[in-house]
Amino acid sequence: MSGDNPHLNGTGDGSNGSEDVEMKEQSENSKKHSKQSKDKDGDDEMTVVVPPSKGATPTAPTKKTEADTANGAIGEDATQVDEVPVDPQEKAITDIKANLPLLDRAVTQFDPRFSLRVLRTISSVRKHLTAHVLATVVVESYPVPTATAVSLLSAVKDDPTFPSEKVDSWHSRKEAQTSSSKEVLPEIDVYLSILVQVYLYDRKWIDAGAQFSSALVEHLRTLNRRTLDSLAARVYFYYALFFEETAPLPPSPAAAVISIRKPLLDALRTATLRKDQDIQAAVTTLLLRNYLSTSHVTQADLLISHAKFPMTAANNQIARYLYYLGRIRAIQLSYTEAHEHLTSATRKSPTSYKASGFYQASTKLLIVVELLMGDIPDRAIFRQPSLEKALQPYLQLVQAVSAGDVTGFQNLVQRYNATFRKDDTYTLILRLRQNVIRTGIRMMSLSYARISLRDMCLRLGLDSEESAEYIVAKAIRDGVIEASLDHERGYMKSKEVGDVYATREPGDAFHERIQACLVLHDESVKAMRFPMNQHRLELKNAQEARERERELAKEIVEGEMDDDDAPGGDFEGL
């Protein structure tokens, strides 16, 4: 028991004696060696707290002040070294230079994944791109001035941050050029050119960017390297983007985008012959975008019928192709095909808030196509954070169509006229007037057993009873409503509604879901990637296994076996 050997805290007069010191030392030693001196029996260790003397005054804990830190009064353990802020431009230079060895590895190992990794870093470097950053990277990457390096520097020399002195000293290296200098890869040239394109586009120097991109595209036509495919596809993207914002703007018949159709078609033909799938996919989507911007739908349809899109392309290119294909089919009144393509494009598009532009555009067009098909979109679509604000006009449009309110629909189209034109859905929305009228007729057929054509004209805002009779007759023929017309008496009589489960609607709904799952499975299988030359390794292993089997069979035939292993041998266990 711990009370058998009491420890007196000091002497009887209440003063702290020498035993306090010994007890304090023992407690300190016990704290230092607590992990090593624990008993296996699990006895608790008693902690003794020594109260301070009455004459002692409590001292406040010391706090670090700026004077103490400056004078070195506080040790290094008590101070925290402030992190030195990193210059964003220096970090951008370091990141760009770190991508150059990746391009070298992409060429030596013939692996496009390194080039794709480099392209993914452009978004992080983009916000810190300046003339100083680009000029510094060019000067430090090129040992001697070359034609490509000079063109890169001349594209950004008008910026006030351009380091003229450093560039002038770099130009003087041409005299000290030696044969031992390593030649810069074309992939590095194209990568730095893409950064210049991004810099010019962000500064809105459209004319300079269009001129620089045209020269860059002409230079790419002279190169035939598979390691340049992903980089060249990005070059063509910015090339088309510059001309889309060059005056005169589309949809003018004399738009500047029409002038780049021949170079893009030449690039598509060359990429098809060389089997450059990256360039082929990118240029195909750019041509479709070009044709649709000037309302040349027939030419876009001819391009789709004659040019085969590579389905093994990148996911973003497939999503763009499906979006433009859905838009073309919607304009051509093929709403079922358009709905399939737009649904696939929406599923493949990024749903993050920072990259929701394409997702919003594809969803807007999908909503309009669903309304044209006679369906009502799900309300959950409008509740997504990335779509809630952008789809506000379309939510009101869906409400007007579902309610069959013709007057409210016309007022809504006039109110959001500029928004619908900006989204390129205005002409499709104008077709919804017949759907709104059909919805109103369907609701009246469900609400009334018999209703006169005059009352229908007043509720739907139609001009005459003849037009109402024509619309009702067409709705009955299309199967929208189950009713009959009495021309002499001028009314519509609805039929009794049967059991919906006795029709084909549930089966069609299940068929659509099963078909969507099968398409998703097929796309997932196509998107699977396997290591290169893995089949050769498997064949080699199989060949080695067969050789071992032959050797084993040969040993068995030649009789090279132990007596115990031979048939009929004696075993000690028996």
Side-chain angles (χ1 to χ4, degrees):
M1 188 173 178
S2 60
D4 295 340
N5 298 322
H7 296 277
L8 297 177
N9 189 9
T11 58
D13 56 357
S15 61
N16 296 332
S18 61
E19 293 181 3
D20 293 335
V21 180
E22 293 177 359
M23 189 181 303
K24 187 176 181 180
E25 292 177 356
Q26 290 177 3
S27 62
E28 291 179 357
N29 294 333
S30 63
K31 289 181 180 179
K32 292 181 180 179
H33 305 284
S34 59
K35 294 184 179 180
Q36 300 178 0
S37 62
K38 282 185 177 180
D39 296 335
K40 296 182 179 180
D41 297 337
D43 294 339
D44 297 335
E45 182 179 341
M46 184 179 67
T47 304
V48 180
V49 179
V50 181
S53 60
K54 295 182 179 180
T57 56
T59 58
T62 58
K63 295 183 179 180
K64 182 180 69 172
T65 60
E66 295 180 358
D68 295 334
T69 306
N71 298 330
I74 299 178
E76 296 179 355
D77 297 338
T79 59
Q80 293 181 353
V81 180
D82 296 336
E83 295 183 358
V84 179
V86 180
D87 188 5
Q89 293 188 0
E90 294 296 331
K91 186 178 183 300
I93 294 173
T94 305
D95 294 341
I96 294 173
K97 293 174 66 177
N99 290 330
L100 304 185
L102 292 177
L103 295 174
D104 193 0
R105 292 178 62 184
V107 175
T108 54
Q109 300 181 12
F110 200 74
D111 194 347
R113 292 180 297 176
F114 296 106
S115 300
L116 296 176
R117 188 188 303 178
V118 170
L119 291 175
R120 284 195 294 267
T121 60
I122 293 180
S123 59
S124 60
V125 179
R126 183 172 189 169
K127 60 183 71 173
H128 304 301
L129 279 180
T130 59
H132 173 73
V133 172
L134 294 173
T136 303
V137 172
V138 171
V139 168
E140 295 180 0
S141 301
Y142 290 84
V144 292
T146 60
T148 304
V150 172
S151 64
L152 294 175
L153 293 175
S154 60
V156 299
K157 65 180 180 180
D158 295 335
D159 195 287
T161 62
F162 184 75
S164 302
E165 298 179 358
K166 182 182 293 187
V167 174
D168 293 340
S169 62
W170 174 74
H171 277 291
S172 62
R173 298 182 191 175
K174 191 172 183 180
E175 301 175 356
Q177 181 178 3
T178 58
S179 59
S180 61
S181 59
K182 184 179 179 181
E183 185 179 359
V184 180
L185 295 174
E187 286 74 13
I188 297 178
D189 295 340
V190 177
Y191 169 62
L192 296 179
S193 301
I194 293 174
L195 294 180
V196 173
Q197 283 183 310
V198 173
Y199 168 79
L200 295 176
Y201 183 78
D202 291 342
R203 296 298 184 279
K204 297 302 178 183
W205 296 350
I206 304 301
D207 295 336
Q211 184 178 0
F212 177 81
S213 300
S214 300
L216 181 57
V217 167
E218 292 297 329
H219 176 65
L220 285 176
R221 295 293 305 276
T222 61
L223 301 176
N224 185 12
R225 297 166 65 95
R226 297 288 70 76
T227 52
L228 274 174
D229 292 346
S230 56
L231 298 171
R234 188 64 63 90
V235 169
Y236 281 108
F237 173 76
Y238 286 108
Y239 170 64
L241 204 59
F242 278 117
F243 278 89
E244 284 183 3
E245 299 190 10
T246 302
L249 300 176
S252 173
V257 294
I258 300 178
S259 62
I260 65 172
R261 289 180 181 174
K262 185 178 183 305
L264 290 178
L265 289 172
D266 294 341
L268 178 60
R269 181 177 64 251
T270 305
T272 304
L273 295 175
R274 295 177 179 176
K275 297 183 179 180
D276 302 343
Q277 296 184 354
D278 292 337
I279 300 179
Q280 186 178 354
V283 174
T284 302
T285 55
L286 291 175
L287 282 171
L288 293 177
R289 179 184 176 90
N290 196 324
Y291 287 135
L292 291 176
S293 64
T294 55
S295 301
H296 292 155
V297 183
T298 305
Q299 296 184 11
D301 189 26
L302 289 175
L303 176 65
I304 293 173
S305 60
H306 289 84
K308 184 177 180 181
F309 186 83
M311 298 310 295
T312 57
N315 184 67
N316 55 354
Q317 297 294 345
I318 296 177
R320 291 171 184 166
Y321 177 76
L322 292 174
Y323 170 74
Y324 294 129
L325 188 58
R327 179 177 288 278
I328 293 171
R329 294 293 178 258
I331 295 174
Q332 295 175 344
L333 304 179
S334 301
Y335 298 132
T336 305
E337 296 182 16
H339 184 267
E340 294 178 0
H341 297 316
L342 291 173
T343 302
S344 301
T346 306
R347 290 173 180 171
K348 290 179 177 294
S349 60
T351 58
S352 60
Y353 187 77
K354 294 183 179 180
S356 59
F358 180 81
Y359 185 50
Q360 293 176 0
S362 59
T363 306
K364 291 175 182 177
L365 187 57
L366 179 61
I367 290 172
V368 176
V369 171
E370 287 184 355
L371 292 176
L372 289 171
M373 294 175 62
D375 300 332
I376 301 299
D378 190 5
R379 184 62 182 268
I381 299 176
F382 303 94
R383 296 175 181 174
Q384 300 181 24
S386 59
L387 300 176
E388 186 174 4
K389 184 177 180 181
L391 296 184
Q392 189 63 30
Y394 293 87
L395 176 60
Q396 301 179 20
L397 179 66
V398 170
Q399 293 174 350
V401 173
S402 60
D405 186 4
V406 180
T407 305
F409 170 77
Q410 294 176 350
N411 296 334
L412 184 66
V413 172
Q414 294 178 359
R415 189 190 316 159
Y416 295 106
N417 188 357
T419 303
F420 293 148
R421 290 183 182 275
K422 182 179 179 182
D423 297 336
D424 292 333
T425 56
Y426 180 74
T427 55
L428 296 176
I429 290 175
L430 291 180
R431 301 179 187 177
L432 287 174
R433 185 175 181 273
Q434 297 296 328
N435 293 63
V436 177
I437 296 174
R438 286 185 179 184
T439 305
I441 293 174
R442 183 179 181 182
M443 294 182 65
M444 283 186 283
S445 67
L446 297 175
S447 302
Y448 300 95
R450 184 172 64 180
I451 184 172
S452 64
L453 297 178
R454 181 175 181 81
D455 292 337
M456 295 179 66
C457 290
L458 295 176
R459 297 194 177 201
L460 297 177
L462 301 178
D463 298 333
S464 60
E465 297 183 8
E466 288 78 7
S467 59
E469 183 178 2
Y470 169 75
I471 294 174
V472 171
K474 191 172 186 303
I476 294 173
R477 187 188 65 179
D478 295 342
V480 177
I481 58 176
E482 296 289 338
S484 59
L485 273 174
D486 192 339
H487 178 71
E488 297 179 355
R489 300 180 180 179
Y491 65 83
M492 179 189 71
K493 183 178 181 181
S494 302
K495 297 181 180 179
E496 296 182 359
V497 180
D499 187 9
V500 69
Y501 290 99
T503 63
R504 296 184 57 184
E505 291 186 8
D508 295 339
F510 279 113
H511 177 70
E512 292 179 359
R513 296 181 182 181
I514 294 172
Q515 188 176 6
C517 293
L518 292 176
V519 171
L520 180 62
H521 175 267
D522 294 340
E523 293 177 354
S524 302
V525 172
K526 292 179 182 179
M528 294 177 65
R529 294 188 178 183
F530 302 93
M532 296 181 64
N533 301 327
Q534 185 68 19
H535 63 286
R536 297 182 181 178
L537 181 60
E538 294 177 356
L539 292 175
K540 183 179 179 181
N541 295 337
Q543 185 176 1
E544 293 178 355
R546 285 195 295 269
E547 290 178 358
R548 288 195 300 269
E549 291 178 358
R550 291 194 191 98
E551 293 178 358
L552 182 60
K554 185 178 180 181
E555 292 178 359
I556 294 174
V557 171
E558 291 178 356
E560 296 180 0
M561 302 176 65
D562 297 337
D563 295 338
D564 295 339
D565 297 338
D570 297 333
F571 296 93
E572 297 178 356
L574 295 177

